Amino acid sequence: MLNLTSSPIMLLTAEGPSDIVLHPAKRTAAEHVTKCYILRGERIRTGSSAIDAATLSAPGADRILALNRFLEQEIQRDRAENGGDGMVLVDRDVLRHVDPRLAAHVAEPHPDPLLVGGPEPVKVSMLIRPPAAGTPNKKAADGDPTRYTLYLDRAGICTDDPTTDEIGHADTWEQLQWMARGAAPLERGGRLWALNNRTLTVLFMADIKLNQDPHATEDRPR
């Protein structure tokens, strides 16, 4: 298993004589999908002064292609060095860009917030797979206004079959945000994510906290 994040990771194993510490590889997966701020050309007054408004720019197709080529190479390297099927760990922001054919070999280390501390390795109690693309919501396809579905992934270390619970449906972006805030404590035992039932795009908590759906203008499923 290769650590493609920027932090040392300690896997808290349920069995075995000791826990496993994985040090970062030379290159990280996040280098390929780094986002940048793009100024909108407008200013927002904060009282005594004004600041420039900006938005996040998503990585381009070339960066996503480079990311998946990099992941494929590292999966092959792990398979050659450690045997087994090959497994790499990446940062949460990378998961959405993982090619489905590589998803079984890529996971996000989910830290236990009570065990994270200082310069010590991030202590991990589970690994989370990239969410599946999902299928269109039949009610939404039939004209039902339900637009978003909030889910919770629950999984043990290196599981190939995470359990996904459906938390609820939301008709608007604001409803989804309120629902996600209420369910936030559940992230200690997994990962919250939502599906836009119209565009079939996956939204993580970092997306849900934005002022608007970053994928709302997409007019076709991915």
Side-chain angles (χ1 to χ4, degrees):
M1 183 182 296
L2 298 180
N3 176 9
L4 303 184
T5 74
S6 58
S7 302
I9 295 172
M10 177 183 289
L11 298 178
L12 305 179
T13 56
E15 300 177 355
S18 62
D19 297 322
I20 301 170
V21 176
L22 299 175
H23 294 282
K26 292 182 179 179
R27 294 185 64 192
T28 67
E31 292 175 15
H32 295 276
V33 294
T34 301
K35 297 179 180 179
C36 59
Y37 286 99
I38 305 297
L39 292 179
R40 295 176 181 167
E42 56 183 286
R43 299 178 75 82
I44 299 176
R45 296 216 164 266
T46 60
S48 59
S49 61
I51 60 173
D52 291 316
T55 185
L56 281 173
S57 174
D62 56 338
R63 282 180 172 267
I64 295 175
L65 179 61
L67 164 70
N68 282 287
R69 285 177 175 170
F70 171 67
L71 292 177
E72 189 167 21
Q73 292 173 357
E74 296 303 294
I75 290 168
Q76 292 175 353
R77 182 164 74 91
D78 182 68
R79 182 182 293 118
E81 292 180 1
N82 302 315
D85 294 329
M87 185 75 185
V88 297
L89 304 182
V90 302
D91 299 299
R92 177 171 299 198
D93 288 344
V94 172
L95 280 181
R96 79 180 68 203
H97 305 297
V98 173
D99 189 303
R101 65 190 176 84
L102 303 177
H105 305 281
V106 180
E108 169 216 344
H110 190 289
D112 185 329
L114 298 180
L115 298 178
V116 176
E120 297 296 322
V122 174
K123 297 182 179 181
V124 173
S125 57
M126 67 177 66
L127 300 178
I128 305 295
R129 302 281 192 184
T135 56
N137 184 300
K138 186 177 186 300
K139 292 184 179 180
D142 292 340
D144 187 274
T146 299
R147 183 164 188 176
Y148 301 101
T149 306
L150 185 66
Y151 296 96
L152 174 71
D153 281 347
R154 295 183 292 109
I157 287 183
C158 291
T159 179
D160 289 324
D161 187 21
T163 300
T164 299
D165 296 329
E166 184 177 300
I167 302 300
H169 298 278
D171 299 334
T172 67
W173 185 247
E174 290 75 17
Q175 288 179 6
L176 176 63
Q177 289 181 317
W178 280 106
M179 187 186 302
R181 289 191 191 104
L186 299 176
E187 278 217 298
R188 281 196 58 192
R191 178 189 59 180
L192 286 169
W193 60 279
L195 183 69
N196 182 323
N197 297 314
R198 307 274 176 86
T199 63
L200 297 187
T201 50
V202 171
L203 299 156
F204 295 105
M205 285 296 284
D207 300 313
I208 297 172
K209 291 177 181 179
L210 298 176
N211 291 331
Q212 61 184 10
D213 185 345
H215 305 294
T217 58
E218 297 182 10
D219 56 5
R220 61 178 181 176
R222 293 195 300 180

